[in-house]
């Protein structure tokens, strides 16, 4: 399912074996031959990568981790498909001349280098890897600007804002309103959250996602990261980025203009829709997604967000306001803390408490280099582990 027709568009899906990556493979298969999955990448699930490469007829696959490659029989990839490995190979795939669109769907800071490479190469960046903007929003957006590339958000909230914001002038946007499902602990007290188990935190009520983002949804750190993402994507000050809880996940976000009009985007919760839109924009093509059933009654509820029970939200506003090194520190502390929680080494509530502590302790720099961001990333992870051990 790869195409050599010059009018058709080759897509590289970085992180094709994940929740977003798998959905992207499906969407692209329905849009073939206009779009084809020319390149794919995986980290640990190499058997799935082989299956995907055969299904898509991909021309290049990347095994991001060389150690995992040893377990794989290369003969199983389709004839003519080049197999490369390691983090540099991810960057090369993101920059390949044959590729027009890069779906950045690697989870966490592991996706930063390839996302930045796609931005520098002037690609259309279909961005799911929000962590890249949280860590290095100024560098990624500057790279897009100077290369003539573009970012089309995949995150459903930012896709909604991207669609709604064009209903008026940028200077007349009063605020954007990110909706949040509230996650599995929407109605839990802080006392109940003290005893939250891994299983209960992974039981998201409306979305099927990877483990890291599912825990981020439970702490609402995901919404904090999205506040920061919105700050960079739409060049908005933090006080114009609001959050409300909307348990049904039908209204994916809204933009309020100076005249009081609120423009929203609605659809059933299905990530295939924003993925497809990021590929086809400005076209809107029919695809595999579920649509609203207007013959039935819908109830849409909205509640103010409770920052006492979900203190992560305040971290999002703070980091969106301060920028500099604070995003890299928050992101790394959160990634490490989520991992510790999933290993049963810290409590659920410790995730955000630990992030607050590390953020307060770090040496803030308003204009960091990439080297500095990488050093702080390592420092934050070590500090979280140290804090979790000595407490
Ligand atoms: N899932 C959603 O509905 C959703 C919605 C909005 C935004 N997002 C964002 O999309 C991104 C992906 O989320 P996800 O839920 O799809 O995650 P996921 O299911 O955990 O998938 C992550 C992908 O990244 C790969 N990967 C993991 N560690 C890597 C490393 N060190 N180097 C290179 N590749 C690595 C994985 O490979 P293997 O599987 O082969 O190990 C997999 O392909 C995240 O930034 C998330 O915040 C997700």
């Amino acid at each position: 399912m790869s195409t050599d027709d010059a009018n058709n568009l080759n897509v590289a899906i970085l992180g094709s074996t994940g929740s977003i990556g798998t959905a992207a493979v499906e969407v692209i298969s329905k849009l073939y031959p206009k779009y084809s999955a020319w390149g794919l990448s995986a980290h640990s699930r190499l058997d799935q990568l082989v299956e995907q490469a055969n299904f898509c007829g991909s021309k290049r696959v990347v095994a991001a981790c060389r150690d995992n490659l040893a377990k794989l029989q290369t003969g199983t990839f389709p004839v003519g498909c080049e197999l490369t490995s390691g983090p540099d190979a991810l960057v090369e795939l993101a920059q390949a001349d044959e590729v027009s669109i890069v779906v950045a769907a690697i989870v966490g800071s592991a996706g930063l280098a390839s996302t930045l490479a796609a931005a520098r190469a002037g690609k259309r960046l279909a961005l799911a890897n929000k962590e890249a903007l949280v860590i290095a929003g100024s560098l990624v957006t500057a790279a897009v600007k100077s290369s003539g590339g573009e970012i089309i958000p995949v995150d459903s909230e930012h896709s909604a804002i991207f669609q709604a914001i064009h209903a008026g002038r940028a200077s007349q946007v009063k605020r954007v309103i990110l909706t949040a499902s509230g996650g599995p602990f929407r109605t839990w007290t802080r006392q109940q959250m003290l005893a939250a188990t891994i299983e209960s935190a992974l039981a998201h009520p409306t979305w099927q996602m990877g483990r890291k983002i599912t825990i981020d949804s439970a702490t609402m750190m995901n919404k904090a990261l999205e506040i920061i993402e919105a700050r960079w994507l739409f060049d908005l000050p933090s006080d114009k980025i609001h959050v409300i809880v909307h348990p049904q996940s039908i209204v994916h976000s809204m933009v309020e203009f100076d005249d009081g009009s609120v423009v929203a985007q609605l659809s059933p919760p299905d990530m295939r829709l924003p993925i497809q839109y990021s590929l086809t924009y400005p076209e809107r093509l029919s695809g595999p997604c579920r649509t609203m059933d207007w013959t039935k009654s819908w109830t849409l509820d909205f509640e103010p967000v409770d920052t006492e029970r979900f203190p992560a939200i305040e971290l999002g506003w703070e980091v969106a306001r301060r920028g500099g090194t604070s995003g890299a520190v928050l992101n790394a502390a959160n990634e490490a803390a989520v991992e510790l929680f999933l290993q049963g080494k810290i409590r659920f509530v410790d995730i955000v408490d630990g992030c607050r502590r590390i953020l307060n302790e770090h040496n803030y720099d308003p204009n960091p280099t990439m080297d500095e961001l990488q050093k702080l990333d390592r420092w934050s992870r070590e500090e979280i582990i140290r804090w979790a051990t000595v407490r």
Side-chain angles (χ1 to χ4, degrees):
M1 206 180 292
S2 180
T3 174
D4 294 325
D5 185 328
N7 293 319
N8 294 340
L9 296 166
N10 287 327
V11 182
I13 309 172
L14 309 180
S16 63
T17 47
S19 165
I20 291 290
T22 309
V25 166
E26 186 192 342
V27 167
I28 290 170
S29 74
K30 307 278 190 225
L31 298 176
Y32 182 80
K34 177 71 186 160
Y35 297 82
S36 69
W38 188 90
L40 304 171
S41 89
H43 182 68
S44 61
R45 288 177 270 192
L46 296 189
D47 293 335
Q48 192 183 334
L49 183 67
V50 170
E51 270 174 39
Q52 289 181 330
N54 280 291
F55 175 66
C56 301
S58 302
K59 299 293 187 195
R60 194 185 297 176
V61 291
V62 176
C65 175
R66 288 203 181 91
D67 294 347
N68 291 334
L69 193 57
K71 301 173 203 151
L72 189 80
Q73 296 176 353
T74 50
T76 51
F77 282 107
V79 178
C81 175
E82 184 189 359
L83 169 63
T84 59
S85 65
D88 293 349
L90 273 178
V91 167
E92 283 161 22
L93 175 56
Q95 294 173 327
D97 288 341
E98 293 89 341
V99 169
S100 304
I101 306 175
V102 173
V103 179
I106 292 175
V107 63
S109 63
L112 174 59
S114 50
T115 298
L116 193 53
R120 287 183 175 142
K123 307 293 184 193
R124 169 173 291 193
L125 189 46
L127 186 72
N129 177 233
K130 67 190 83 179
E131 295 91 345
L133 283 183
V134 172
I135 300 166
S138 66
L139 300 178
V140 174
T141 50
V144 168
K145 210 169 174 184
S146 69
S147 70
E150 60 182 345
I151 304 182
I152 314 293
V154 165
D155 231 342
S156 55
E157 294 80 356
H158 303 75
S159 177
I161 293 169
F162 182 85
Q163 293 173 65
I165 212 162
H166 293 120
R169 295 190 194 289
S171 59
Q172 291 159 1
V173 171
K174 189 168 180 191
R175 64 184 129 222
V176 299
I177 301 135
L178 291 165
T179 53
S181 69
F185 303 146
R186 179 173 66 90
T187 57
W188 286 34
T189 62
R190 176 95 183 155
Q191 198 58 31
Q192 286 173 305
M193 282 190 240
L194 284 171
T197 62
I198 298 170
E199 291 69 32
S200 58
L202 284 172
H204 197 281
T206 48
W207 295 102
Q208 293 288 322
M209 308 179 285
R211 282 160 70 88
K212 191 258 180 187
I213 187 175
T214 304
I215 299 300
D216 286 349
S217 297
T219 56
M220 290 193 78
M221 183 62 83
N222 185 47
K223 216 43 61 181
L225 302 182
E226 288 179 5
I227 291 171
I228 305 161
E229 183 183 9
R231 179 261 171 271
W232 291 111
L233 280 175
F234 306 111
D235 194 18
L236 288 167
S238 60
D239 60 357
K240 285 195 172 187
I241 305 169
H242 292 232
V243 175
I244 55 162
V245 174
H246 167 50
Q248 292 87 2
S249 301
I250 298 282
V251 176
H252 295 297
S253 279
M254 305 180 258
V255 179
E256 185 175 332
F257 291 94
D258 283 341
D259 62 359
S261 280
V262 178
V263 181
Q265 185 262 336
L266 284 71
S267 55
D270 183 340
M271 285 309 294
R272 292 174 299 178
L273 181 54
I275 291 169
Q276 176 173 309
Y277 185 73
S278 73
L279 300 171
T280 65
Y281 169 80
E283 306 301 327
R284 291 181 182 273
L285 308 181
S286 59
C289 307
R290 288 184 291 134
T291 53
M292 299 290 290
D293 178 358
W294 295 115
T295 62
K296 68 175 234 194
S297 302
W298 293 88
T299 303
L300 302 177
D301 297 303
F302 299 98
E303 304 162 3
V305 68
D306 182 347
T307 54
E308 295 280 315
R309 286 186 303 125
F310 296 102
I313 299 288
E314 295 286 1
L315 295 181
W317 279 316
E318 179 180 321
V319 170
R321 181 171 43 77
R322 295 188 81 198
T325 44
S326 58
V329 170
L330 176 64
N331 181 70
N334 180 56
E335 283 188 27
V338 168
E339 203 46 51
L340 288 170
F341 170 67
L342 288 171
Q343 292 166 3
K345 293 181 178 162
I346 59 173
R347 296 172 307 170
F348 176 77
V349 293
D350 294 333
I351 299 174
V352 176
D353 289 353
C355 289
R356 157 59 69 204
R357 178 176 285 261
I358 303 300
L359 198 57
N360 288 352
E361 279 175 8
H362 99 278
N363 283 329
Y364 174 75
D365 179 342
N367 293 304
T369 60
M370 186 54 96
D371 262 6
E372 200 179 337
L373 293 177
Q374 281 165 347
K375 273 187 202 137
L376 273 170
D377 179 290
R378 286 192 293 275
W379 174 84
S380 307
R381 288 168 202 269
E382 286 161 12
E383 281 302 300
I384 275 281
I385 292 168
R386 201 176 57 78
W387 169 76
T389 320
V390 300
R391 248 161 3 114

